[in-house]
Amino acid sequence: MKILLITPQPSGGFSPPFTVLPLGIACIAAVGRQAGAEVDVFWGADTEAEVDDYLNSCKPDIAGMQTFINNMSSCFSIAERIKGKYPGAITVMGGVQASNFPEEVLQSKMIDCVITGEGEWTFQELLKNGAGNFRKVPGVVWRDAGGKIIRNPGGTVFENLDDLPLIPYPLFYRQKESRPIPLVRGHILTHRGCPRHCSHCPLRFRAGVPIRAHSLARVMDTIRNLQSEFGLSFIEFYDENFTLHPDLVRGICGELKGMNLGWSCTARTGEMTEELAEKMAISGCHEIIFGLGSGVPRLQKLLNTNEDLQHASRIISAVTKLGVNTVAAFALGIPTETQREFRESVRFALGLNARQIRFEAASPLPGTILYDIAKTGGRFLVRSWDDYISPGQMIYLPAGWRLGEFKRALFFAKVSARIKRSFPKIFG
Ligand code: SF4
């Protein structure tokens, strides 16, 4: 059996450099290989000719696509090409957007089934039951011969993450002659799941899914492999909140010491302590991104992030003093945010002792609680899924602002952040 796994480019003409490993399909690739299938990946092509070239050289029995909100048109178009060339091929979609909107996705006759949430277990079942025999696959969403969309009951996740087969990194990091993918950093996930319920989180299918972590041995095996096989000198931990399992982090830091590797991660200030930060800094941590959301307590509640802003300020300052590049990220124009709150949030951010402050316009994504709040006031500036998350593209204008006025305020906030970075003493 031949499996082709694809991460289609965003549809709105926005082509980011594909240098970040698509961990979703990487884990599916591992499961496919473990089942004895021949697996190929198609990662980072952005012209139709490139897609056609690739499909001509690969005749898949199953084609799996990773969806985001803004690559759906590309996914549908690639699925159509696959069905046109190989009518017997099974097309499967997974990823955030397909997981949140499986029924909508299956309106396209080019898509045979959707696997929601963490897909490895269900994909394994799909392979076991014979591709196309969806009725027997627990947890899959599919369309029967009469066109009825059916959500099969059952379906689960790998309870012990170490039972997941190892990611076949060489499959992704090889250099393609036509489009070399620079191998700059290794990408790793240490755990799955999140205990929080942020109102802006598009990963709502995670609700009720247990939080699990890899063992220290497994994480370190992966890192050592990446270092020895590819000569990587930098690791990006791609967990939403790397410090969720402090003991695992302490273990990783202990092992990384002396390995001459730089690394970065994303963390929440709530789980960070000075003791942990010190261990991280000593072990080679170059950068920590703290997604704070807002500098206004009311909006912290609305986002359901509930960061203690005073603690956040203290801990970010402590981490900065350890020599780590601290990045504090904020969203402005959060639904219901007033102009006074916008200024309060900017003031709070600029008062932080962080190396970098990032301001972006808030993006209430379909399927989130924040999206429903946004619909009660303000104005959406996008028409289709394709328009989301392109650089410079504003999604939403909160009530009480004119568009030009908001863009100017956001521009000045960003300029102030750049000035603060260059001349930190100006902002104290
Ligand atoms: S921290 Fe919030 S946004 Fe991030 S995964 Fe968890 S619930 Fe979603």
Side-chain angles (χ1 to χ4, degrees), residues 229-247:
E229 201 168 331
F230 303 104
L232 285 185
S233 56
F234 202 95
I235 300 291
E236 274 183 42
F237 290 102
Y238 243 60
D239 303 283
E240 186 73 28
N241 178 6
F242 179 61
T243 49
L244 189 60
H245 298 272
D247 285 341

Side-chain angles (χ1 to χ4, degrees), residues 164-185:
L164 280 166
L166 289 172
I167 288 176
Y169 283 98
L171 200 58
F172 291 84
Y173 286 153
R174 69 177 176 207
Q175 298 284 304
K176 283 184 190 152
E177 271 173 36
S178 60
R179 189 184 174 90
I181 293 171
L183 177 56
V184 185
R185 296 172 172 216

Side-chain angles (χ1 to χ4, degrees), residues 31-110:
V31 168
R33 278 161 68 119
Q34 191 183 48
E38 188 186 333
V39 179
D40 206 349
V41 296
F42 183 35
W43 170 38
D46 59 0
T47 67
E48 294 188 349
E50 276 179 298
V51 173
D52 283 340
D53 272 0
Y54 209 85
L55 290 180
N56 285 336
S57 66
C58 167
K59 187 182 171 200
D61 300 300
I62 301 180
M65 273 166 272
Q66 182 177 16
T67 63
F68 313 113
I69 187 166
N70 60 349
N71 75 351
M72 291 307 300
S73 295
S74 297
C75 289
F76 291 133
S77 147
I78 291 175
E80 197 171 342
R81 286 177 142 72
I82 292 170
K83 288 284 190 189
K85 277 182 198 298
Y86 311 114
I90 303 294
T91 49
V92 184
M93 281 198 184
V96 178
Q97 197 65 0
S99 293
N100 284 339
F101 298 100
E103 282 84 5
E104 284 84 343
V105 164
L106 285 166
Q107 295 306 318
S108 164
K109 300 283 185 293
M110 299 298 125

Side-chain angles (χ1 to χ4, degrees), residues 194 196-198 200-201 203 206 240 268:
C194 176
R196 296 176 179 236
H197 299 278
C198 306
H200 57 286
C201 183
L203 309 174
R206 280 187 183 171
E240 186 73 28
R268 301 275 146 185

Side-chain angles (χ1 to χ4, degrees), residues 35-337:
E38 188 186 333
V39 179
D40 206 349
V41 296
F42 183 35
W43 170 38
D46 59 0
T47 67
E48 294 188 349
E50 276 179 298
V51 173
D52 283 340
D53 272 0
Y54 209 85
L55 290 180
N56 285 336
S57 66
C58 167
K59 187 182 171 200
D61 300 300
I62 301 180
M65 273 166 272
Q66 182 177 16
T67 63
F68 313 113
I69 187 166
N70 60 349
N71 75 351
M72 291 307 300
S73 295
S74 297
C75 289
F76 291 133
S77 147
I78 291 175
E80 197 171 342
R81 286 177 142 72
I82 292 170
K83 288 284 190 189
K85 277 182 198 298
Y86 311 114
I90 303 294
T91 49
V92 184
M93 281 198 184
V96 178
Q97 197 65 0
S99 293
N100 284 339
F101 298 100
E103 282 84 5
E104 284 84 343
V105 164
L106 285 166
Q107 295 306 318
S108 164
K109 300 283 185 293
M110 299 298 125
I111 311 303
D112 295 313
C113 82
V114 169
I115 294 180
T116 59
E118 287 175 39
E120 296 91 351
W121 188 89
T122 307
F123 192 69
Q124 198 177 54
E125 290 299 302
L126 188 130
L127 296 179
K128 264 193 221 158
N129 285 287
N133 196 2
F134 301 125
R135 195 171 292 281
K136 289 190 172 166
V137 184
V140 86
V141 191
W142 58 292
R143 194 182 41 249
D144 70 9
K148 187 170 165 217
I149 293 170
I150 300 170
R151 242 179 217 263
N152 286 358
T156 184
V157 294
F158 275 83
E159 276 174 27
N160 179 358
L161 288 191
D162 286 2
D163 288 343
L164 280 166
L166 289 172
I167 288 176
Y169 283 98
L171 200 58
F172 291 84
Y173 286 153
R174 69 177 176 207
Q175 298 284 304
K176 283 184 190 152
E177 271 173 36
S178 60
R179 189 184 174 90
I181 293 171
L183 177 56
V184 185
R185 296 172 172 216
H187 298 99
I188 294 183
L189 278 173
T190 64
H191 67 265
R192 301 270 183 101
C194 176
R196 296 176 179 236
H197 299 278
C198 306
S199 64
H200 57 286
C201 183
L203 309 174
R204 62 180 181 182
F205 48 82
R206 280 187 183 171
V209 176
I211 300 160
R212 295 134 296 142
H214 278 296
S215 66
L216 175 60
R218 167 71 173 251
V219 173
M220 291 315 300
D221 277 355
T222 307
I223 292 175
R224 289 197 179 94
N225 275 345
L226 284 171
Q227 196 182 24
S228 62
E229 201 168 331
F230 303 104
L232 285 185
S233 56
F234 202 95
I235 300 291
E236 274 183 42
F237 290 102
Y238 243 60
D239 303 283
E240 186 73 28
N241 178 6
F242 179 61
T243 49
L244 189 60
H245 298 272
D247 285 341
L248 178 60
V249 175
R250 284 186 193 96
I252 294 171
C253 291
E255 299 275 339
L256 284 176
K257 241 192 298 175
M259 278 180 69
N260 207 19
L261 273 173
W263 61 275
S264 65
C265 68
T266 300
R268 301 275 146 185
T269 54
E271 279 96 18
M272 181 67 89
T273 61
E274 293 185 26
E275 170 265 336
L276 195 58
E278 206 172 318
K279 287 195 166 53
M280 291 165 74
I282 291 170
S283 73
C285 179
H286 281 212
E287 181 174 281
I288 305 178
I289 299 172
F290 295 102
L292 286 173
S294 173
V296 177
R298 182 186 78 82
L299 294 168
Q300 281 290 333
K301 285 205 182 78
L302 183 102
L303 295 174
N304 206 22
T305 38
N306 298 315
E307 298 273 4
D308 175 339
L309 293 172
Q310 296 318 313
H311 170 76
S313 174
R314 265 195 314 276
I315 203 74
I316 289 174
S317 179
V319 180
T320 303
K321 285 178 187 157
L322 289 165
V324 176
N325 185 43
T326 43
V327 181
F330 292 83
L332 294 171
I334 293 165
T336 77
E337 184 178 77

